[in-house]
Amino acid sequence: MFKSVVPVLAQVPAEVCLGQQNRGMATLKAISIRLKSVKNIQKITQSMKMVSAAKYSRAERDLKQARPYGIGAQQFYEKAEVAPKQEESKKLFIAITSDRGLCGAVHTGVARYIRGELATDPNIKVICVGDKSRAILSRLYSKNIEMVANEVGRLPPTFLDAAKLCNAILNLGYEYTDGKIIYNKFKSVVSYSVADIPIFSLKSVESAEKLPVYDSLDSEVIQSYLEFSLASLLFYTMKEGACSEQSSRMTAMDNASKNAGEMIDKLTLTFNRTRQAVITRELIEIISGASALESKD
């Protein structure tokens, strides 16, 4: 067997064998570099998963305390049956997102909902809470964006943040009749859904049919309550969004870590096979060279 192979290998130039060896070594180096980078990525995703798990537990506790704010603020609009006049409707949408990514389709779902509404009514104005919603909506609907609130998502939202945002919206200069707060409603660790809460202006509330049921309500009292209810709704929706974001990020990082582990296994197998092929080729070259020397003697 070796006698039939040796004459053929003896005729192959040394440069070709060296090139094959160099290509094998380069492939091994490339695989090892990629393997190392995937392992580093896995460490990062596992660390982010642990951080998100800790933040999620805190966000879930805060959400239970914030839910009465949102539920209580919505009761007034439902009991008074507040509705805008269709001929004077000027809508305002508030998108509750954050500045941070790597959390699945949390921000995309809110932006997709608003894009669907803007496709039917291009006169809707949008306030983006978080840079992610602005980045998605500005591609097609940059003219509809009235304001952007940045620096959202690094720290847990507080009522002071919601009050500042409420003050900025009221002092924006855009007189809306009604609108919606679009946010992600938390259901479980692996489940959330895009939801909306209606908001109304002072004129829309004053024109409600069942408003006289509440005694001693003048314009100043209603205005003060609307400001507080808007801040309460913003606080509640920001807490819902933060909890949904952390749970989604935790799930996304867990899936990323699993995918990185599978890739590490495949790359390790490829690396071992390539290394074995290089060693086998080198052994064949050594045996061929030795056989060639013996045949000359």
Side-chain angles (χ1 to χ4, degrees):
M1 177 179 178
F2 283 109
K3 289 182 180 179
S4 61
V5 175
V6 167
V8 178
L9 291 174
Q11 297 173 4
V12 178
E15 291 82 2
V16 176
C17 294
L18 254 147
Q20 290 176 356
Q21 185 176 1
N22 290 338
R23 283 198 298 270
M25 294 301 292
T27 305
L28 280 175
K29 186 176 181 181
I31 294 173
S32 63
I33 291 173
R34 189 178 179 188
L35 185 60
K36 185 177 180 181
S37 65
V38 174
K39 287 181 179 179
N40 292 334
I41 291 172
Q42 188 185 39
K43 291 179 182 178
I44 294 171
T45 54
Q46 287 176 347
S47 301
M48 290 187 66
K49 175 191 171 184
M50 294 175 64
V51 172
S52 299
K55 290 184 177 181
Y56 161 72
S57 60
R58 179 182 176 182
E60 189 178 16
R61 290 196 304 268
D62 294 344
L63 178 59
K64 292 179 181 179
Q65 299 174 359
R67 271 179 175 160
Y69 287 89
I71 296 172
Q74 295 177 65
Q75 291 296 320
F76 173 75
Y77 300 122
E78 295 176 1
K79 299 297 182 181
E81 297 183 359
V82 182
K85 295 181 179 179
Q86 295 297 328
E87 62 272 10
E88 299 178 358
S89 180
K90 293 175 66 177
K91 294 184 178 181
L92 176 69
F93 282 9
I94 304 174
I96 304 296
T97 57
S98 73
D99 295 347
R100 306 186 67 191
L102 298 176
C103 51
V106 170
H107 309 314
T108 310
V110 174
R112 189 184 298 115
Y113 180 94
I114 296 176
R115 279 205 306 260
E117 294 290 334
L118 288 173
T120 56
D121 187 1
N123 297 321
I124 298 174
K125 297 299 180 181
V126 181
I127 293 176
C128 298
V129 181
D131 195 61
K132 289 297 179 180
S133 57
R134 180 205 60 80
I136 299 173
L137 294 174
S138 61
R139 300 170 187 171
L140 298 175
Y141 303 102
S142 58
K143 296 181 179 179
N144 298 84
I145 298 176
E146 285 288 319
M147 188 183 75
V148 179
N150 293 326
E151 297 297 325
V152 180
R154 291 191 304 107
L155 299 174
T158 61
F159 192 85
L160 180 60
D161 298 332
K164 290 180 180 179
L165 178 61
C166 175
N167 186 45
I169 293 172
L170 295 175
N171 295 328
L172 188 61
Y174 179 73
E175 296 182 358
Y176 63 93
T177 58
D178 65 309
K180 293 180 181 179
I181 301 176
I182 295 91
Y183 67 103
N184 289 294
K185 188 172 184 180
F186 175 77
K187 292 183 177 180
S188 65
V189 184
V190 294
S191 177
Y192 61 89
S193 62
V194 179
D196 61 84
I197 295 178
I199 55 175
F200 301 96
S201 65
L202 178 62
K203 293 181 180 179
S204 299
V205 174
E206 288 179 341
S207 61
E209 296 181 357
K210 292 189 177 182
L211 186 65
V213 174
Y214 300 91
D215 297 332
S216 303
L217 287 181
D218 53 8
S219 297
E220 293 183 359
V221 174
I222 296 175
Q223 180 65 32
S224 299
Y225 176 76
L226 287 180
E227 293 176 0
F228 176 75
S229 65
L230 179 59
S232 300
L233 290 174
L234 289 173
F235 175 65
Y236 163 66
T237 53
M238 289 170 72
K239 285 293 186 183
E240 287 273 6
C243 190
S244 301
E245 179 183 349
Q246 295 300 336
S247 64
S248 180
R249 181 176 290 113
M250 184 175 62
T251 305
M253 291 300 101
D254 183 38
N255 294 332
S257 300
K258 291 179 181 178
N259 293 337
E262 294 177 0
M263 189 176 293
I264 288 170
D265 294 338
K266 292 180 180 179
L267 286 173
T268 303
L269 183 61
T270 304
F271 179 83
N272 293 334
R273 285 179 176 176
T274 307
R275 184 176 61 181
Q276 186 177 5
V278 171
I279 294 171
T280 305
R281 186 170 60 245
E282 290 177 353
L283 288 173
I284 291 174
E285 291 172 359
I286 293 170
I287 295 171
S288 303
S291 301
L293 290 174
E294 288 179 0
S295 62
K296 285 182 181 180
D297 294 340

